């Protein structure tokens, strides 16, 4: 069975600084996708970034980037130049190539950006 | 702005009531999902519809009854719920549930309280 582990329940960062959220996963599949979702206090779940396992290049979306280490089954999210609007719960999620849509979430990391 | 809409935003119902949650997406997606999310927890998958057919039912109690009238609409019919069913109910959609199309987009959710 696939699992996703986020070992940091809560983190805080000063505005304009950089923060890294950790995520590890376990799977026997070779083809899969990984995601980071953001859920601000207003509750809407937003897709931040996605990574295909077959791609060696780390995904980047503006201030958000990932460090994907396939052999180590690690998928961390780096947020650069943190902004107050980045305050949210961040969920790491996995979906396997044989899945019919069953997105497996980690327990989440609550990030607070302080002014 | 979300392209997945959900109504109502809030719902309070008694244990003997019958109510329905509605979800609509305007992205031409062919897969739609219902999730249940408790406070400070990740979403839990309930149902997956692919091309308007139910493809996954995660052993959800029969008091929850999904319906997909067409590829843009998803309903969740509620009957004889229990107080522990109080939660945020999220709808999501993706281009399909097949390989390569796993990027799910979430609606804002319906906050359900069962009294």
């Amino acid at each position: 069975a696939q699992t996703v582990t986020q070992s940091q329940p809560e983190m805080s960062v000063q505005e304009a600084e950089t923060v890294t959220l950790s995520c590890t996963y376990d799977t026997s599949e070779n083809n899969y996708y990984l995601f980071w979702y953001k859920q601000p206090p207003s509750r809407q779940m937003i897709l931040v970034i996605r990574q295909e396992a077959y791609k060696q290049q780390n995904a980047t979306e503006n201030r958000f980037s990932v460090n994907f280490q396939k052999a180590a089954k690690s998928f961390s999210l780096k947020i650069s130049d943190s902004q107050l609007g980045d305050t949210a719960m961040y969920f790491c999620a996995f979906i396997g190539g044989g899945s019919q849509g069953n997105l497996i979430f980690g327990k989440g990391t609550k990030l607070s950006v302080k002014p | 702005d979300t392209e997945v809409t959900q109504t109502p935003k809030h719902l309070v119902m008694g244990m003997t009531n019958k109510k329905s949650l509605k979800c609509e997406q305007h992205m031409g997606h062919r897969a739609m999902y219902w999730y249940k999310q408790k406070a400070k927890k990740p979403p839990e998958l309930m149902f997956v519809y692919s091309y308007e057919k139910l493809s996954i039912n995660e052993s959800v109690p029969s008091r929850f009854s999904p319906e997909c009238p067409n590829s843009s609409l998803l309903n969740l019919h509620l009957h004889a719920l229990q107080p522990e069913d109080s939660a945020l109910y999220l709808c999501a959609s993706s281009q399909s549930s097949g390989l390569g199309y796993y990027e799910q987009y979430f609606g804002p959710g319906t906050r359900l309280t069962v009294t």
Side-chain angles (χ1 to χ4, degrees), chain A residues 33 37 39 43-44 47 50, chain B residues 37 58 100 103-104 106 108:
Chain A
Y33 295 76
Y37 281 91
Q39 190 174 35
R43 80 189 180 203
Q44 174 116 35
L47 178 66
R50 100 176 210 166
Chain B
Q37 186 178 27
E58 291 286 358
E103 200 164 296
Q104 294 183 23
F106 287 80

Side-chain angles (χ1 to χ4, degrees), chain B:
Chain B
D1 287 348
T2 180
E3 293 191 64
V4 179
T5 58
Q6 291 186 242
T7 55
K9 291 186 177 180
H10 301 275
L11 178 63
V12 179
M13 62 184 289
M15 288 190 285
T16 59
N17 292 159
K18 286 186 180 181
K19 296 286 185 183
S20 296
L21 309 184
K22 297 185 184 299
C23 174
E24 189 169 8
Q25 55 91 8
H26 306 281
M27 295 177 281
H29 289 173
R30 302 312 301 268
M32 296 186 76
Y33 311 79
W34 279 116
Y35 289 86
K36 173 182 178 180
Q37 186 178 27
K38 290 282 202 178
K40 301 182 181 181
K41 299 288 187 182
E44 298 173 13
L45 183 66
M46 300 174 72
F47 303 103
V48 179
Y49 272 85
S50 181
Y51 292 86
E52 300 161 47
K53 293 185 179 179
L54 184 65
S55 59
I56 293 180
N57 177 341
E58 291 286 358
S59 303
V60 179
S62 60
R63 58 185 183 269
F64 295 91
S65 175
E67 178 196 19
C68 189
N70 59 57
S71 60
S72 300
L73 294 173
L74 187 65
N75 298 321
L76 186 63
H77 303 297
L78 314 173
H79 173 56
L81 294 192
Q82 303 297 310
E84 59 264 29
D85 296 322
S86 297
L88 181 67
Y89 287 83
L90 296 170
C91 174
S93 71
S94 64
Q95 195 167 349
S96 86
S97 60
L99 185 64
Y101 298 101
Y102 295 131
E103 200 164 296
Q104 294 183 23
Y105 294 87
F106 287 80
T110 293
R111 173 73 62 192
L112 173 67
T113 303
V114 181
T115 60

Side-chain angles (χ1 to χ4, degrees), chain A residues 12-23:
Chain A
S12 65
V13 64
Q14 292 296 127
E15 199 175 4
E17 293 187 347
T18 296
V19 64
T20 298
L21 281 56
S22 301
C23 174

